[in-house]
Short mmCIF file of all heavy atoms in Angstrom, two decimals:
data_model
loop_
_atom_site.label_atom_id
_atom_site.label_comp_id
_atom_site.label_asym_id
_atom_site.label_seq_id
_atom_site.Cartn_x
_atom_site.Cartn_y
_atom_site.Cartn_z
N MET A 169 12.29 -11.58 -16.41
CA MET A 169 12.69 -10.82 -15.27
C MET A 169 11.85 -9.54 -15.24
O MET A 169 11.58 -8.94 -16.32
CB MET A 169 14.23 -10.51 -15.42
CG MET A 169 14.86 -10.14 -14.15
SD MET A 169 16.66 -10.21 -14.06
CE MET A 169 17.20 -9.68 -15.65
N MET A 170 11.52 -9.08 -14.04
CA MET A 170 10.68 -7.90 -13.91
C MET A 170 11.03 -7.21 -12.53
O MET A 170 11.56 -7.85 -11.63
CB MET A 170 9.20 -8.23 -13.90
CG MET A 170 8.79 -9.12 -12.75
SD MET A 170 7.05 -9.56 -12.87
CE MET A 170 6.92 -10.59 -11.47
N PRO A 171 10.75 -5.91 -12.47
CA PRO A 171 10.96 -5.19 -11.15
C PRO A 171 10.00 -5.80 -10.09
O PRO A 171 8.88 -6.24 -10.42
CB PRO A 171 10.66 -3.76 -11.47
CG PRO A 171 10.62 -3.62 -12.95
CD PRO A 171 10.32 -4.96 -13.49
N LEU A 172 10.40 -5.70 -8.85
CA LEU A 172 9.60 -6.21 -7.75
C LEU A 172 8.25 -5.51 -7.70
O LEU A 172 7.25 -6.05 -7.18
CB LEU A 172 10.36 -6.06 -6.43
CG LEU A 172 9.72 -6.66 -5.17
CD1 LEU A 172 9.56 -8.21 -5.37
CD2 LEU A 172 10.63 -6.35 -3.99
N THR A 173 8.13 -4.29 -8.22
CA THR A 173 6.90 -3.55 -8.13
C THR A 173 5.79 -4.27 -8.89
O THR A 173 4.57 -3.97 -8.63
CB THR A 173 7.09 -2.17 -8.72
OG1 THR A 173 7.69 -2.20 -10.01
CG2 THR A 173 7.89 -1.30 -7.81
N PHE A 174 6.08 -5.17 -9.87
CA PHE A 174 5.09 -5.87 -10.61
C PHE A 174 4.78 -7.24 -10.04
O PHE A 174 3.94 -7.94 -10.60
CB PHE A 174 5.55 -6.03 -12.10
CG PHE A 174 5.66 -4.76 -12.84
CD1 PHE A 174 6.82 -4.42 -13.50
CD2 PHE A 174 4.59 -3.82 -12.93
CE1 PHE A 174 6.97 -3.21 -14.20
CE2 PHE A 174 4.70 -2.70 -13.66
CZ PHE A 174 5.85 -2.35 -14.26
N ALA A 175 5.37 -7.55 -8.97
CA ALA A 175 5.13 -8.89 -8.32
C ALA A 175 3.72 -8.97 -7.72
O ALA A 175 3.18 -7.98 -7.26
CB ALA A 175 6.20 -9.13 -7.23
N ASN A 176 3.22 -10.15 -7.71
CA ASN A 176 1.90 -10.38 -7.12
C ASN A 176 1.97 -10.59 -5.64
O ASN A 176 2.92 -11.21 -5.16
CB ASN A 176 1.15 -11.61 -7.73
CG ASN A 176 0.89 -11.40 -9.22
OD1 ASN A 176 0.62 -10.34 -9.64
ND2 ASN A 176 1.16 -12.50 -9.99
N VAL A 177 1.03 -10.03 -4.90
CA VAL A 177 0.97 -10.17 -3.45
C VAL A 177 0.80 -11.69 -3.09
O VAL A 177 -0.02 -12.35 -3.69
CB VAL A 177 -0.20 -9.34 -2.79
CG1 VAL A 177 -0.33 -9.62 -1.32
CG2 VAL A 177 0.07 -7.89 -3.12
N GLY A 178 1.61 -12.20 -2.18
CA GLY A 178 1.51 -13.53 -1.66
C GLY A 178 2.39 -14.51 -2.42
O GLY A 178 2.51 -15.65 -1.92
N GLU A 179 2.94 -14.12 -3.51
CA GLU A 179 3.86 -15.04 -4.29
C GLU A 179 5.34 -14.90 -3.89
O GLU A 179 5.73 -13.72 -3.60
CB GLU A 179 3.73 -14.85 -5.77
CG GLU A 179 2.35 -15.38 -6.31
CD GLU A 179 2.32 -15.41 -7.85
OE1 GLU A 179 3.33 -15.71 -8.50
OE2 GLU A 179 1.25 -15.14 -8.35
N THR A 180 6.08 -15.94 -3.89
CA THR A 180 7.46 -15.87 -3.53
C THR A 180 8.26 -15.84 -4.84
O THR A 180 8.00 -16.62 -5.73
CB THR A 180 7.86 -17.08 -2.67
OG1 THR A 180 7.12 -17.12 -1.48
CG2 THR A 180 9.35 -17.04 -2.36
N TYR A 181 9.20 -14.99 -4.93
CA TYR A 181 10.06 -14.76 -6.11
C TYR A 181 11.53 -14.88 -5.66
O TYR A 181 11.86 -14.64 -4.54
CB TYR A 181 9.91 -13.39 -6.73
CG TYR A 181 8.46 -13.16 -7.25
CD1 TYR A 181 7.50 -12.68 -6.43
CD2 TYR A 181 8.15 -13.44 -8.55
CE1 TYR A 181 6.16 -12.47 -6.93
CE2 TYR A 181 6.87 -13.22 -9.12
CZ TYR A 181 5.86 -12.78 -8.22
OH TYR A 181 4.62 -12.61 -8.76
N THR A 182 12.38 -15.25 -6.64
CA THR A 182 13.80 -15.33 -6.46
C THR A 182 14.39 -14.01 -7.01
O THR A 182 14.08 -13.66 -8.15
CB THR A 182 14.43 -16.52 -7.16
OG1 THR A 182 13.83 -17.71 -6.67
CG2 THR A 182 15.97 -16.53 -6.91
N ILE A 183 15.24 -13.37 -6.21
CA ILE A 183 15.88 -12.13 -6.68
C ILE A 183 16.97 -12.47 -7.69
O ILE A 183 17.85 -13.29 -7.45
CB ILE A 183 16.49 -11.35 -5.44
CG1 ILE A 183 15.40 -11.04 -4.42
CG2 ILE A 183 17.26 -10.12 -5.87
CD1 ILE A 183 15.99 -10.55 -3.08
N GLN A 184 16.85 -11.86 -8.87
CA GLN A 184 17.80 -12.12 -9.91
C GLN A 184 19.02 -11.19 -9.86
O GLN A 184 20.13 -11.65 -10.00
CB GLN A 184 17.11 -11.99 -11.31
CG GLN A 184 15.93 -12.92 -11.47
CD GLN A 184 16.34 -14.38 -11.41
OE1 GLN A 184 17.34 -14.79 -11.91
NE2 GLN A 184 15.46 -15.20 -10.83
N ARG A 185 18.78 -9.89 -9.66
CA ARG A 185 19.83 -8.93 -9.58
C ARG A 185 19.32 -7.61 -8.98
O ARG A 185 18.07 -7.39 -8.90
CB ARG A 185 20.50 -8.69 -10.90
CG ARG A 185 19.62 -7.92 -11.94
CD ARG A 185 20.35 -7.73 -13.27
NE ARG A 185 19.51 -7.14 -14.24
CZ ARG A 185 19.33 -5.86 -14.41
NH1 ARG A 185 19.92 -4.97 -13.60
NH2 ARG A 185 18.49 -5.35 -15.31
N LEU A 186 20.24 -6.85 -8.57
CA LEU A 186 19.94 -5.49 -7.94
C LEU A 186 20.52 -4.47 -8.87
O LEU A 186 21.60 -4.56 -9.43
CB LEU A 186 20.59 -5.34 -6.55
CG LEU A 186 20.18 -6.42 -5.51
CD1 LEU A 186 21.01 -6.26 -4.25
CD2 LEU A 186 18.70 -6.35 -5.25
N GLY A 187 19.75 -3.39 -8.99
CA GLY A 187 20.19 -2.22 -9.84
C GLY A 187 20.50 -1.04 -8.98
O GLY A 187 20.41 -1.08 -7.77
N GLY A 188 20.90 0.04 -9.66
CA GLY A 188 21.16 1.30 -8.93
C GLY A 188 22.67 1.55 -8.64
O GLY A 188 23.51 0.77 -9.09
N THR A 189 22.93 2.57 -7.95
CA THR A 189 24.35 2.94 -7.62
C THR A 189 24.93 1.88 -6.64
O THR A 189 24.18 1.20 -6.01
CB THR A 189 24.35 4.35 -7.02
OG1 THR A 189 23.66 4.33 -5.77
CG2 THR A 189 23.72 5.38 -7.90
N PRO A 190 26.24 1.92 -6.52
CA PRO A 190 26.83 0.97 -5.54
C PRO A 190 26.29 1.23 -4.11
O PRO A 190 26.15 0.22 -3.36
CB PRO A 190 28.32 1.33 -5.60
CG PRO A 190 28.50 1.85 -7.00
CD PRO A 190 27.24 2.56 -7.37
N GLU A 191 26.00 2.46 -3.78
CA GLU A 191 25.48 2.75 -2.44
C GLU A 191 24.08 2.14 -2.23
O GLU A 191 23.77 1.60 -1.21
CB GLU A 191 25.38 4.29 -2.18
CG GLU A 191 26.76 4.97 -2.10
CD GLU A 191 27.34 5.28 -3.45
OE1 GLU A 191 26.66 5.24 -4.49
OE2 GLU A 191 28.52 5.55 -3.48
N VAL A 192 23.24 2.20 -3.27
CA VAL A 192 21.85 1.67 -3.22
C VAL A 192 22.02 0.14 -3.17
O VAL A 192 21.25 -0.46 -2.37
CB VAL A 192 21.06 2.11 -4.46
CG1 VAL A 192 19.76 1.34 -4.56
CG2 VAL A 192 20.81 3.59 -4.41
N LYS A 193 22.82 -0.46 -3.94
CA LYS A 193 22.99 -1.91 -3.92
C LYS A 193 23.40 -2.38 -2.51
O LYS A 193 22.91 -3.38 -1.99
CB LYS A 193 23.99 -2.37 -4.93
CG LYS A 193 23.56 -2.26 -6.41
CD LYS A 193 24.57 -2.79 -7.32
CE LYS A 193 24.19 -2.59 -8.73
NZ LYS A 193 25.22 -3.06 -9.67
N LYS A 194 24.41 -1.65 -1.91
CA LYS A 194 24.86 -2.03 -0.56
C LYS A 194 23.75 -1.88 0.45
O LYS A 194 23.57 -2.75 1.31
CB LYS A 194 26.04 -1.14 -0.23
CG LYS A 194 26.69 -1.49 1.07
CD LYS A 194 27.42 -2.86 0.98
CE LYS A 194 28.13 -3.17 2.27
NZ LYS A 194 28.52 -4.58 2.36
N HIS A 195 22.97 -0.82 0.37
CA HIS A 195 21.84 -0.67 1.25
C HIS A 195 20.87 -1.81 1.15
O HIS A 195 20.39 -2.33 2.14
CB HIS A 195 21.12 0.72 0.99
CG HIS A 195 19.94 0.93 1.86
ND1 HIS A 195 20.06 1.15 3.21
CD2 HIS A 195 18.66 1.06 1.60
CE1 HIS A 195 18.89 1.36 3.72
NE2 HIS A 195 18.01 1.24 2.72
N LEU A 196 20.51 -2.18 -0.04
CA LEU A 196 19.61 -3.28 -0.28
C LEU A 196 20.14 -4.60 0.27
O LEU A 196 19.41 -5.34 0.90
CB LEU A 196 19.22 -3.36 -1.76
CG LEU A 196 18.32 -2.31 -2.33
CD1 LEU A 196 18.20 -2.41 -3.85
CD2 LEU A 196 16.92 -2.31 -1.69
N GLU A 197 21.43 -4.81 0.03
CA GLU A 197 22.01 -6.05 0.58
C GLU A 197 22.03 -6.05 2.10
O GLU A 197 21.83 -7.10 2.67
CB GLU A 197 23.49 -6.14 0.03
CG GLU A 197 23.60 -6.51 -1.48
CD GLU A 197 24.94 -6.39 -2.03
OE1 GLU A 197 25.91 -6.02 -1.29
OE2 GLU A 197 25.11 -6.69 -3.20
N ASN A 198 22.22 -4.90 2.68
CA ASN A 198 22.22 -4.80 4.18
C ASN A 198 20.80 -5.17 4.71
O ASN A 198 20.65 -5.60 5.85
CB ASN A 198 22.64 -3.44 4.68
CG ASN A 198 24.15 -3.25 4.52
OD1 ASN A 198 24.87 -4.18 4.37
ND2 ASN A 198 24.51 -2.00 4.46
N LEU A 199 19.79 -4.86 3.89
CA LEU A 199 18.41 -5.15 4.28
C LEU A 199 18.04 -6.63 4.06
O LEU A 199 16.98 -7.15 4.52
CB LEU A 199 17.40 -4.31 3.54
CG LEU A 199 17.40 -2.81 3.83
CD1 LEU A 199 16.47 -2.03 2.88
CD2 LEU A 199 16.92 -2.60 5.31
N GLY A 200 18.94 -7.35 3.34
CA GLY A 200 18.68 -8.80 3.05
C GLY A 200 18.36 -9.16 1.67
O GLY A 200 18.11 -10.29 1.32
N PHE A 201 18.33 -8.15 0.78
CA PHE A 201 18.05 -8.40 -0.66
C PHE A 201 19.36 -8.77 -1.38
O PHE A 201 20.16 -7.90 -1.65
CB PHE A 201 17.44 -7.17 -1.28
CG PHE A 201 16.12 -6.75 -0.76
CD1 PHE A 201 16.03 -5.82 0.22
CD2 PHE A 201 14.94 -7.32 -1.23
CE1 PHE A 201 14.80 -5.43 0.81
CE2 PHE A 201 13.70 -6.99 -0.69
CZ PHE A 201 13.66 -6.02 0.32
N VAL A 202 19.53 -10.06 -1.59
CA VAL A 202 20.71 -10.51 -2.31
C VAL A 202 20.33 -11.38 -3.44
O VAL A 202 19.30 -12.09 -3.41
CB VAL A 202 21.69 -11.31 -1.37
CG1 VAL A 202 22.32 -10.41 -0.29
CG2 VAL A 202 20.97 -12.45 -0.66
N ALA A 203 21.07 -11.37 -4.53
CA ALA A 203 20.78 -12.18 -5.69
C ALA A 203 20.77 -13.66 -5.27
O ALA A 203 21.62 -14.16 -4.55
CB ALA A 203 21.84 -12.02 -6.73
N GLY A 204 19.70 -14.39 -5.74
CA GLY A 204 19.51 -15.78 -5.36
C GLY A 204 18.61 -15.94 -4.16
O GLY A 204 18.19 -17.05 -3.87
N GLY A 205 18.38 -14.87 -3.35
CA GLY A 205 17.50 -15.00 -2.22
C GLY A 205 16.05 -14.88 -2.61
O GLY A 205 15.72 -14.51 -3.74
N ASN A 206 15.18 -15.26 -1.69
CA ASN A 206 13.74 -15.24 -1.94
C ASN A 206 13.12 -14.01 -1.33
O ASN A 206 13.54 -13.54 -0.22
CB ASN A 206 13.08 -16.47 -1.36
CG ASN A 206 13.46 -17.70 -2.21
OD1 ASN A 206 13.70 -17.62 -3.33
ND2 ASN A 206 13.40 -18.86 -1.53
N VAL A 207 12.11 -13.55 -1.96
CA VAL A 207 11.34 -12.38 -1.48
C VAL A 207 9.84 -12.62 -1.72
O VAL A 207 9.50 -13.13 -2.80
CB VAL A 207 11.83 -11.06 -2.06
CG1 VAL A 207 11.69 -11.06 -3.53
CG2 VAL A 207 11.12 -9.87 -1.43
N THR A 208 9.01 -12.27 -0.73
CA THR A 208 7.56 -12.40 -0.86
C THR A 208 6.92 -11.07 -0.61
O THR A 208 7.20 -10.43 0.45
CB THR A 208 7.00 -13.45 0.13
OG1 THR A 208 7.67 -14.66 -0.07
CG2 THR A 208 5.51 -13.63 -0.07
N VAL A 209 6.04 -10.60 -1.51
CA VAL A 209 5.36 -9.39 -1.27
C VAL A 209 4.17 -9.67 -0.39
O VAL A 209 3.32 -10.49 -0.62
CB VAL A 209 4.87 -8.76 -2.62
CG1 VAL A 209 4.00 -7.49 -2.41
CG2 VAL A 209 5.99 -8.51 -3.58
N VAL A 210 4.09 -8.92 0.74
CA VAL A 210 3.07 -9.12 1.74
C VAL A 210 1.89 -8.19 1.47
O VAL A 210 0.72 -8.58 1.48
CB VAL A 210 3.60 -8.84 3.15
CG1 VAL A 210 2.47 -8.95 4.17
CG2 VAL A 210 4.71 -9.85 3.52
N ASN A 211 2.25 -6.93 1.08
CA ASN A 211 1.15 -5.91 0.86
C ASN A 211 1.77 -4.75 0.09
O ASN A 211 2.94 -4.57 0.09
CB ASN A 211 0.62 -5.46 2.21
CG ASN A 211 -0.77 -4.76 2.10
OD1 ASN A 211 -1.28 -4.68 1.01
ND2 ASN A 211 -1.25 -4.32 3.19
N THR A 212 0.88 -4.03 -0.55
CA THR A 212 1.26 -2.76 -1.21
C THR A 212 0.43 -1.63 -0.64
O THR A 212 -0.79 -1.80 -0.47
CB THR A 212 1.11 -2.84 -2.67
OG1 THR A 212 -0.25 -3.07 -3.02
CG2 THR A 212 1.92 -3.93 -3.37
N VAL A 213 1.06 -0.51 -0.33
CA VAL A 213 0.40 0.70 0.20
C VAL A 213 0.84 1.87 -0.59
O VAL A 213 2.01 2.29 -0.49
CB VAL A 213 0.69 0.88 1.73
CG1 VAL A 213 0.00 2.08 2.28
CG2 VAL A 213 0.38 -0.38 2.48
N ASP A 214 0.00 2.42 -1.44
CA ASP A 214 0.22 3.59 -2.25
C ASP A 214 1.55 3.40 -3.10
O ASP A 214 2.35 4.31 -3.24
CB ASP A 214 0.41 4.85 -1.37
CG ASP A 214 -0.89 5.19 -0.71
OD1 ASP A 214 -1.97 4.98 -1.25
OD2 ASP A 214 -0.78 5.79 0.44
N GLY A 215 1.71 2.17 -3.63
CA GLY A 215 2.84 1.89 -4.45
C GLY A 215 4.06 1.43 -3.67
O GLY A 215 5.01 0.86 -4.27
N ASN A 216 4.10 1.65 -2.38
CA ASN A 216 5.20 1.16 -1.55
C ASN A 216 4.92 -0.30 -1.17
O ASN A 216 3.71 -0.69 -1.15
CB ASN A 216 5.35 2.00 -0.28
CG ASN A 216 5.68 3.47 -0.62
OD1 ASN A 216 6.45 3.75 -1.58
ND2 ASN A 216 5.05 4.35 0.08
N LEU A 217 5.93 -1.06 -0.90
CA LEU A 217 5.80 -2.45 -0.69
C LEU A 217 6.20 -2.88 0.72
O LEU A 217 7.16 -2.36 1.28
CB LEU A 217 6.65 -3.28 -1.67
CG LEU A 217 6.36 -3.08 -3.13
CD1 LEU A 217 7.42 -3.83 -3.96
CD2 LEU A 217 5.02 -3.57 -3.54
N ILE A 218 5.51 -3.84 1.29
CA ILE A 218 5.90 -4.55 2.49
C ILE A 218 6.22 -5.98 2.03
O ILE A 218 5.39 -6.66 1.46
CB ILE A 218 4.79 -4.54 3.56
CG1 ILE A 218 4.45 -3.13 3.97
CG2 ILE A 218 5.25 -5.39 4.75
CD1 ILE A 218 3.24 -2.96 4.86
N VAL A 219 7.47 -6.38 2.31
CA VAL A 219 7.87 -7.71 1.81
C VAL A 219 8.56 -8.49 2.94
O VAL A 219 8.98 -7.91 3.99
CB VAL A 219 8.96 -7.53 0.67
CG1 VAL A 219 8.34 -6.81 -0.51
CG2 VAL A 219 10.20 -6.84 1.18
N ASN A 220 8.52 -9.82 2.76
CA ASN A 220 9.26 -10.75 3.60
C ASN A 220 10.52 -11.08 2.91
O ASN A 220 10.48 -11.58 1.79
CB ASN A 220 8.42 -12.03 3.88
CG ASN A 220 7.49 -11.89 5.04
OD1 ASN A 220 7.63 -11.01 5.90
ND2 ASN A 220 6.50 -12.79 5.10
N VAL A 221 11.62 -10.85 3.60
CA VAL A 221 12.93 -11.24 3.06
C VAL A 221 13.79 -11.72 4.21
O VAL A 221 13.89 -11.02 5.26
CB VAL A 221 13.60 -10.09 2.26
CG1 VAL A 221 13.89 -8.86 3.18
CG2 VAL A 221 14.84 -10.52 1.57
N LYS A 222 14.38 -12.89 4.11
CA LYS A 222 15.17 -13.49 5.13
C LYS A 222 14.51 -13.48 6.50
O LYS A 222 15.06 -13.00 7.50
CB LYS A 222 16.51 -12.79 5.24
CG LYS A 222 17.39 -13.03 4.02
CD LYS A 222 18.84 -12.81 4.30
CE LYS A 222 19.63 -13.25 3.08
NZ LYS A 222 21.04 -13.06 3.37
N GLU A 223 13.24 -14.01 6.52
CA GLU A 223 12.49 -14.10 7.80
C GLU A 223 12.20 -12.77 8.44
O GLU A 223 11.94 -12.80 9.64
CB GLU A 223 13.27 -15.07 8.75
CG GLU A 223 13.56 -16.38 8.20
CD GLU A 223 12.36 -17.26 7.74
OE1 GLU A 223 11.34 -17.17 8.45
OE2 GLU A 223 12.44 -17.89 6.73
N ALA A 224 12.24 -11.67 7.73
CA ALA A 224 11.92 -10.37 8.34
C ALA A 224 10.99 -9.63 7.38
O ALA A 224 11.11 -9.77 6.17
CB ALA A 224 13.20 -9.60 8.56
N ARG A 225 10.16 -8.79 7.95
CA ARG A 225 9.28 -7.93 7.17
C ARG A 225 10.01 -6.57 7.00
O ARG A 225 10.50 -5.99 7.99
CB ARG A 225 7.95 -7.71 7.81
CG ARG A 225 7.02 -8.81 7.55
CD ARG A 225 5.61 -8.44 7.92
NE ARG A 225 4.82 -9.65 7.61
CZ ARG A 225 3.56 -9.71 7.70
NH1 ARG A 225 2.87 -8.66 8.21
NH2 ARG A 225 2.89 -10.79 7.44
N VAL A 226 10.03 -6.14 5.73
CA VAL A 226 10.72 -4.89 5.45
C VAL A 226 9.77 -4.03 4.55
O VAL A 226 9.15 -4.53 3.67
CB VAL A 226 12.02 -5.15 4.66
CG1 VAL A 226 12.78 -3.89 4.30
CG2 VAL A 226 12.94 -6.07 5.43
N ALA A 227 9.72 -2.77 4.86
CA ALA A 227 8.93 -1.80 4.05
C ALA A 227 9.94 -1.05 3.14
O ALA A 227 10.94 -0.56 3.58
CB ALA A 227 8.13 -0.84 4.88
N ILE A 228 9.68 -1.07 1.80
CA ILE A 228 10.53 -0.35 0.90
C ILE A 228 9.70 0.50 0.00
O ILE A 228 8.55 0.21 -0.31
CB ILE A 228 11.38 -1.35 0.07
CG1 ILE A 228 10.52 -2.35 -0.71
CG2 ILE A 228 12.40 -2.04 0.95
CD1 ILE A 228 11.34 -3.23 -1.68
N SER A 229 10.30 1.56 -0.45
CA SER A 229 9.59 2.53 -1.37
C SER A 229 9.47 1.93 -2.74
O SER A 229 10.19 1.00 -3.13
CB SER A 229 10.39 3.84 -1.39
OG SER A 229 11.59 3.66 -2.04
N ARG A 230 8.59 2.53 -3.54
CA ARG A 230 8.42 2.11 -4.90
C ARG A 230 9.74 2.24 -5.71
O ARG A 230 10.05 1.42 -6.51
CB ARG A 230 7.30 2.93 -5.53
CG ARG A 230 7.03 2.60 -7.01
CD ARG A 230 5.85 3.43 -7.52
NE ARG A 230 5.63 3.22 -8.90
CZ ARG A 230 5.00 2.17 -9.40
NH1 ARG A 230 4.61 1.19 -8.61
NH2 ARG A 230 4.86 2.01 -10.72
N GLU A 231 10.48 3.37 -5.42
CA GLU A 231 11.69 3.59 -6.15
C GLU A 231 12.75 2.47 -5.88
O GLU A 231 13.41 1.99 -6.72
CB GLU A 231 12.29 4.93 -5.75
CG GLU A 231 11.48 6.11 -6.23
CD GLU A 231 10.23 6.40 -5.44
OE1 GLU A 231 10.15 5.92 -4.24
OE2 GLU A 231 9.34 7.01 -5.96
N MET A 232 12.80 2.08 -4.60
CA MET A 232 13.77 0.94 -4.24
C MET A 232 13.29 -0.42 -4.89
O MET A 232 14.11 -1.15 -5.35
CB MET A 232 13.85 0.80 -2.75
CG MET A 232 14.66 1.81 -2.08
SD MET A 232 16.41 1.58 -2.44
CE MET A 232 17.16 2.78 -1.40
N ALA A 233 12.00 -0.62 -4.85
CA ALA A 233 11.46 -1.86 -5.41
C ALA A 233 11.72 -1.95 -6.89
O ALA A 233 11.90 -3.04 -7.43
CB ALA A 233 9.97 -1.96 -5.10
N GLN A 234 11.79 -0.81 -7.58
CA GLN A 234 12.04 -0.79 -9.02
C GLN A 234 13.47 -1.32 -9.32
O GLN A 234 13.71 -1.78 -10.41
CB GLN A 234 11.90 0.62 -9.61
CG GLN A 234 10.50 1.11 -9.66
CD GLN A 234 9.74 0.61 -10.90
OE1 GLN A 234 9.64 -0.57 -11.12
NE2 GLN A 234 9.26 1.58 -11.68
N LYS A 235 14.36 -1.20 -8.34
CA LYS A 235 15.74 -1.61 -8.55
C LYS A 235 16.01 -3.10 -8.25
O LYS A 235 17.12 -3.59 -8.46
CB LYS A 235 16.66 -0.71 -7.66
CG LYS A 235 16.67 0.69 -8.10
CD LYS A 235 17.42 1.55 -7.15
CE LYS A 235 17.52 3.01 -7.58
NZ LYS A 235 16.49 3.61 -8.28
N ILE A 236 14.95 -3.79 -7.72
CA ILE A 236 15.10 -5.16 -7.37
C ILE A 236 14.42 -6.00 -8.48
O ILE A 236 13.21 -5.97 -8.67
CB ILE A 236 14.44 -5.53 -6.00
CG1 ILE A 236 15.08 -4.66 -4.92
CG2 ILE A 236 14.56 -6.98 -5.70
CD1 ILE A 236 14.35 -4.65 -3.60
N MET A 237 15.21 -6.75 -9.23
CA MET A 237 14.68 -7.56 -10.35
C MET A 237 14.49 -9.02 -9.85
O MET A 237 15.33 -9.63 -9.27
CB MET A 237 15.67 -7.51 -11.51
CG MET A 237 16.01 -6.17 -12.02
SD MET A 237 14.54 -5.18 -12.50
CE MET A 237 14.20 -5.99 -14.10
N VAL A 238 13.22 -9.48 -10.15
CA VAL A 238 12.88 -10.86 -9.78
C VAL A 238 12.50 -11.69 -11.02
O VAL A 238 12.21 -11.09 -12.07
CB VAL A 238 11.71 -10.91 -8.76
CG1 VAL A 238 12.18 -10.28 -7.43
CG2 VAL A 238 10.52 -10.21 -9.23
#
């Protein structure tokens, strides 16, 4: 298991768990990041990530990506 920040561009990963405060977890779940779901890193820009999750592209900060374990 590793944080999403270490994921390779173009590879699909399964989300294992979400970290952070309950508010952060809820925010990530609202964006579509749920345990057991798939996520693909599309691109990285200055440490921030653009990912595909649940058929949508989402931009997340490096700090948020650190809380998503794949």
Side-chain angles (χ1 to χ4, degrees):
M169 204 164 32
M170 65 182 176
L172 188 58
T173 51
F174 294 125
N176 296 323
V177 173
E179 287 190 37
T180 300
Y181 296 88
T182 301
I183 300 169
Q184 302 297 323
R185 68 179 174 89
L186 301 174
T189 65
E191 292 83 14
V192 170
K193 288 181 185 179
K194 185 68 176 166
H195 178 67
L196 289 171
E197 288 170 358
N198 288 339
L199 290 174
F201 296 95
V202 292
N206 290 332
V207 61
T208 305
V209 178
V210 177
N211 199 1
T212 60
V213 180
D214 295 329
N216 300 320
L217 300 173
I218 299 172
V219 299
N220 272 341
V221 62
K222 291 202 173 183
E223 305 300 322
R225 278 195 180 181
V226 180
I228 56 173
S229 68
R230 179 176 175 79
E231 291 78 22
M232 283 289 186
Q234 290 278 56
K235 294 172 176 33
I236 302 168
M237 302 302 286
V238 294

